[in-house]
Amino acid sequence: MSEVRLRFAPSPTGYLHVGGARTALFNWLLARKEGGKFILRIEDTDVARSTQESLEAILEGMTWLGLDWDEGPFYQSDNFPLYREYVEKMLAAGTAYKCYCSPEVLEKKRELAISEGRKPKYDGTCRNLIEEVPGAPFVVRFRAPLEGETAFDDLIKGRISFQNEELDDLIIQRTDGTPTYNFTVVIDDATMGITTVIRGDDHVNNTPRQILLYEALGYPVPKFAHVPMILGADKARLSKRHGATSVMAYRDMGFLPEAMVNYLVRLGWSYGDEEIFALEDLIQKFSIESVGRSAGVFNPDKLLWLNAHYIKTGDPQRLAELLVPFLQERGVDSSVGPDLVEVVRTLQERSRTMLEMADGAIFYYTSDLEYDEKSLAKFFTPEARDLCTELVARLKAMDDLSHDSIAALFDRLCAEKAVKMKAVAQPARYALTGGSASPGIYELIGVLGRDETIHRIQRALDTK
RNA sequence: GGUCCCAUCGUCUAGCGGUUAGGACACCGGCCUUUCACGUCGGUAACAGGGGUUCAAGUCCCCUUGGGAUCACCA
């Protein structure tokens, strides 16, 4: 069995956040690169905190990013009989034992140990009980080795080792009979044949316990790769107070999935001096070994820059489709008025997000713009009025609205009136858009069409 | 506090014993220009500190300092 098998195993207790998305991405990339399998497993053993909404949000996030899975989603909640079976096996083999210590007693001992400056680890009270206590509530603990060393070669961080005496006999089954995390991951990763575990580095401390479990169970130990955390600008772990952490929130703010993927992969990974990577590129170029070992700060500015890049170079047709919902939110109906694809073309290089693009597109679909007195006075000087009147007259006599002929019209007008381009372009822009910043004047006229252009300029001229 | 991890411009990073320490975002200028942008050219800016090893250290080793993670019948 040489096929690599990777997995992403979120617990459905919240949306898909950028950190989770990145580890999912790394897993997906390695699976695709190696021609292996990418498996999705839902860690919902904490029934109380798991929700259907979270599950759907996670799947939606992954789908949006383009991270498709080959197997699953599998649910740990479906595996309770399996876990139970393994607990029984370990009990029978003596690699696990029943512990009757109550949580209260344990807590007291823990406090005492801390106050005396000792390690708060399980003292092994029940480790060598000869007889069972019938009817008494119990948890099942793993009988971990007392001495020796457990080490592994992390694909990202290198060799990491722990003294076994630092580890204690972790609980694998609770009083209520449900299994615990460190146990279920091992059972699942082992039975699913996971060959490489890529996860957040908040799990490194769990790794030696899990390795011991693999060994006790007689399963091969997978490779591990612990990816560093994502931090906020203040170097603290990224959280809501740093702004949006949900990947879907970024979609709603007008980000493109390819920008998100590109940003996420470059946070902690690099390929020479390259910055722009399509998903297809990444499959070829990605390698887990070149992921950095230190935590990285999430930089919204760079994400924005990448998003602008993908908007600029994106297919106008696709962008137009993505733009529609943003327009609708603003009460704009793009089915009447200028062709949305043409509108998009004029906005691509001046929008960093789809949201900005939507804002920039509103005027195209507002035939009767508001012209306020102040701006009118500023742009529509007597000279400007003359020029605009002349512009309207010439436009009326024109059929060809190509960029070149509009440019020629303006050139002639400026030459004959001996004025600068600015003298006519600015008032016309104001009349056409209701503002002073917009796409080029020729593009504007081309997209709006002759009649609408004349309508708007005339209307501005008539307003007073 | 114990254990574990981390450390190059403000940020993401390249560097894998010999470099004017490179690129990108952001920032600051110039150019382009009908506005806003795009683009383009240029600039400011970093090896946390201290010891070693070596002819030579950002690169290897140790210590210090500073960050972070984790120490549950949560995952």
Side-chain angles (χ1 to χ4, degrees), chain A residues 1 140 172 198 212 242 310 358 371:
Chain A
M1 191 162 110
V140 179
I172 60 177
I198 302 177
L212 259 14
H242 294 110
Y310 284 106
Y371 302 116

Side-chain angles (χ1 to χ4, degrees), chain A residues 13 33 39 43 48 71 91 125 157 165 167 205-206 216 256 303 308 343 350-351 367 377 393 400 406 431 455:
Chain A
T13 52
K33 181 191 170 80
I39 298 152
E43 313 226 313
E71 294 176 25
L91 243 17
T125 303
K157 293 176 184 286
E165 59 182 349
L167 282 17
N205 289 295
N206 285 327
L256 266 21
L303 207 209
V343 166
R350 29 177 69 77
S351 311
S367 192
D400 173 18
I406 297 170
H455 167 74

Side-chain angles (χ1 to χ4, degrees), chain A residues 405-436:
Chain A
S405 44
I406 297 170
L409 184 152
F410 272 81
D411 284 345
R412 245 177 286 124
L413 180 63
C414 290
E416 288 170 25
K417 299 287 181 180
V419 294
K420 294 237 165 108
M421 180 67 190
K422 188 182 291 190
V424 43
Q426 280 306 79
R429 182 189 319 284
Y430 178 67
L432 260 21
T433 69
S436 59

Side-chain angles (χ1 to χ4, degrees), chain A residues 34 48-49 67 110 204 215 273 295 299 352 417 450:
Chain A
E34 303 292 333
R49 291 202 306 148
L67 307 181
R110 215 189 328 270
V204 300
E215 290 170 347
D273 284 342
N299 182 349
R352 293 179 301 176
K417 299 287 181 180
R450 193 189 61 176

